[in-house]
Amino acid sequence: MSPVNNTETEEMRKVEEKRREREVYRDKIRGCLFGGAVGDALGYPIEFMKEDAIWKKYGQRGITIYELDAKKRKALISDDTQMTLFTANGILVGETRGCLRGMMGPVAAYVYEAYLEWFETQNIYDIAGIKKDVRRICWLMNVPELYATRVPGNTCISALEELKNHSKYGYPDVIRKRNDSKGNGGLMRVAPMALDYHGGETLDAVDQEGGEIARITHCHTLGYMPAAFLVHVINRIVYPQREMSLEDIILEAKDTIRRIYKDEDHLAELLAIADLALTLAENQDDDVSNIHRIGAGWVAEETLGIALYCALRYRNDFSHGIIAAVNHSGDSDTTGAVAGNILGALCGYEAIDQRWKEDLELSDLILEIADDLCYGCVMEEYGSYRDPVWIRKYMEGGR
Ligand SMILES: [Mg+2]
């Protein structure tokens, strides 16, 4: 065998080994991403319904099975899942450039580009309307179903519109305080930041990057600190360093957030809502009463509080957890999505009931992105191993 072949064989062996090492995280990564989409799809039909109307239409337990779209015969995902997928696409583009070119900018800078592309999907009628000659980074722009508008958040739209049309410097402009929104649109889409973790960076840095991704559109401290909190919780569930209960993880997340955002306003409010979730999860009251004590979930800290509460209460029972998370007068699809992220990571994809897998829109695409986050880019700048499919997706925008 020639020396070249020897090197290539050795490199292939390493690639296989890397993939095998990552395999152990796959079920939880899939669970997190898929679980978020399930919660989103379950809550989407009742996003703007008050409790009385929910009980009247679905009975005293509320909505407990998907309501299928009449035309597509699918449970529709909303902007929460669409933006989560674009977050993942942006992260993987950045990571791939780092692997193949040996350098990359901040992760949030790639995610920012991905969000500008998502913004396009919401402003043109369908895929046929996009300009072919414009260079894009996201292969998701080639998926016609993602051009559906599913009540995208006003702040996401207005912030991206401003950045797209009035930004002098591109990503650097993101760090200017441009609005004072603490809506949950930043929080709802950051889970991929917690999942794409290959051990090279500190968890503090990963949490902060999660916060920065939310801050692209939501500049109030309570618009982005809950995102960092969520990233910490999900990361610890998927990549445990030692045996930790969910309570331990939440307490550690509180300490971490207190440290990394020590000079930020409204920190105490965020920590208090995490404590409230911990306390309420222990009582005997019904879920709706407990959720009312946290809030309606339209703002990020309340969404996080409701999701933590549902995950604590139903940590081994994905279905009951997301049913509790959506059935209230508040922002059902987003509380469902974030609770679904946490519960899906805790329970794993295999443990998610078949009924949630069968009728979910874009389920194969969600699993594909989950697996890409799981394995990551296994090519190296000076290596000879090349994966043409990965290069097309994450270097060439799927062209
Ligand atoms: Mg939504």
Side-chain angles (χ1 to χ4, degrees):
M1 203 185 269
S2 75
V4 173
N5 280 344
N6 263 337
T7 318
E8 276 181 13
T9 313
E10 175 62 13
E11 208 187 328
M12 272 314 292
R13 197 189 56 74
K14 277 190 185 158
V15 166
E16 289 306 322
E17 198 180 293
K18 264 192 209 168
R19 289 178 65 90
R20 252 197 319 278
E21 279 170 15
R22 295 290 299 177
E23 197 85 38
V24 293
Y25 305 115
R26 195 169 83 141
D27 188 47
K28 286 184 175 297
I29 291 172
R30 283 181 151 204
C32 176
L33 214 61
F34 200 89
V38 172
D40 177 24
L42 183 67
Y44 181 52
I46 58 168
E47 182 178 8
F48 299 109
M49 281 171 79
K50 297 278 177 228
E51 276 147 27
D52 282 352
I54 296 173
W55 313 148
K56 197 169 162 206
K57 182 164 181 189
Y58 300 99
Q60 266 310 304
R61 292 188 59 222
I63 190 166
T64 58
I65 52 169
Y66 284 144
E67 183 167 309
L68 302 188
D69 178 70
K71 268 199 203 134
K72 293 179 183 278
R73 306 306 305 156
K74 291 276 178 196
L76 302 182
I77 55 165
S78 83
D79 58 327
D80 306 54
T81 305
Q82 293 172 339
M83 288 197 86
T84 302
L85 295 172
F86 275 85
T87 303
N89 198 147
I91 291 170
L92 289 165
V93 166
E95 179 189 311
T96 304
R97 291 193 186 172
C99 287
L100 290 178
R101 296 199 178 142
M103 52 192 267
M104 67 178 284
V107 179
Y110 299 98
V111 176
Y112 163 66
E113 295 293 333
Y115 289 164
L116 291 180
E117 294 183 11
W118 170 80
F119 176 76
E120 275 190 67
T121 67
Q122 302 299 292
N123 286 282
I124 46 183
Y125 181 64
D126 61 25
I127 197 166
I130 70 166
K131 290 190 199 119
K132 295 242 167 10
D133 52 341
V134 178
R135 212 177 150 72
R136 291 183 176 79
I137 67 166
C138 291
W139 69 272
L140 292 180
M141 293 298 279
N142 303 324
V143 179
E145 291 92 333
L146 288 173
Y147 288 71
T149 51
R150 305 274 162 78
V151 203
N154 289 334
T155 306
C156 288
I157 293 290
S158 62
L160 292 170
E161 187 164 36
E162 186 196 331
L163 286 164
K164 190 180 172 77
N165 296 326
H166 304 291
S167 167
K168 256 194 206 153
Y169 308 108
Y171 177 70
D173 275 352
V174 166
I175 58 175
R176 282 188 304 110
K177 186 160 183 169
R178 292 161 293 100
N179 64 35
D180 205 24
S181 174
K182 59 171 192 162
N184 58 22
L187 171 71
M188 70 184 191
R189 59 181 196 233
V190 294
M193 191 61 219
L195 303 177
D196 180 78
Y197 181 67
H198 303 275
E201 54 289 75
T202 66
L203 185 48
D204 276 14
V206 176
D207 297 347
Q208 272 172 304
E209 207 63 60
E212 289 308 292
I213 287 173
R215 193 152 72 125
I216 292 170
T217 52
H218 290 69
C219 301
H220 191 290
T221 55
L222 287 174
Y224 58 83
M225 292 189 300
F229 197 116
L230 177 68
V231 165
H232 191 95
V233 170
I234 293 173
N235 184 282
R236 276 290 188 243
I237 295 169
V238 176
Y239 302 101
Q241 303 297 305
R242 58 187 168 87
E243 189 84 42
M244 287 174 96
S245 67
L246 184 54
E247 284 84 354
D248 293 338
I249 291 174
I250 292 170
L251 292 173
E252 186 191 79
K254 277 183 60 194
D255 288 342
T256 309
I257 295 306
R258 190 185 285 121
R259 188 176 69 251
I260 61 182
Y261 292 116
K262 63 180 188 303
D263 299 322
E264 301 278 17
D265 295 335
H266 306 288
L267 179 61
E269 288 159 60
L270 173 60
L271 302 180
I273 223 158
D275 283 333
L276 182 61
L278 285 161
T279 310
L280 295 175
E282 295 288 317
N283 72 20
Q284 303 299 315
D285 298 348
D286 64 273
D287 292 324
V288 177
S289 309
N290 280 331
I291 287 171
H292 287 170
R293 291 171 184 135
I294 299 170
W298 297 103
V299 290
E301 78 275 20
E302 291 177 6
T303 306
L304 179 71
I306 293 168
L308 291 175
Y309 163 80
C310 293
L312 285 159
R313 189 94 149 193
Y314 298 102
R315 66 192 74 191
N316 300 313
D317 187 345
F318 176 85
S319 297
H320 273 101
I322 54 158
I323 288 167
V326 303
N327 280 295
H328 52 82
S329 297
D331 192 2
S332 299
D333 61 331
T334 302
T335 50
V338 178
N341 285 144
I342 304 174
L343 282 158
L346 280 168
C347 301
Y349 174 74
E350 291 303 322
I352 293 177
D353 221 72
Q354 192 57 29
R355 67 176 145 141
W356 304 119
K357 294 175 182 166
E358 270 161 12
D359 298 311
L360 185 68
E361 182 187 30
L362 291 176
S363 57
D364 289 345
L365 178 86
I366 294 163
L367 292 179
E368 180 178 349
I369 289 272
D371 289 354
D372 287 350
L373 286 167
C374 173
Y375 295 117
C377 177
V378 290
M379 296 173 283
E380 290 173 4
E381 189 180 8
Y382 299 110
S384 56
Y385 172 71
R386 289 293 178 262
D387 176 342
V389 174
W390 188 282
I391 289 175
R392 197 159 47 77
K393 281 162 82 175
Y394 298 113
M395 285 295 276
E396 297 165 358
R399 282 177 293 274

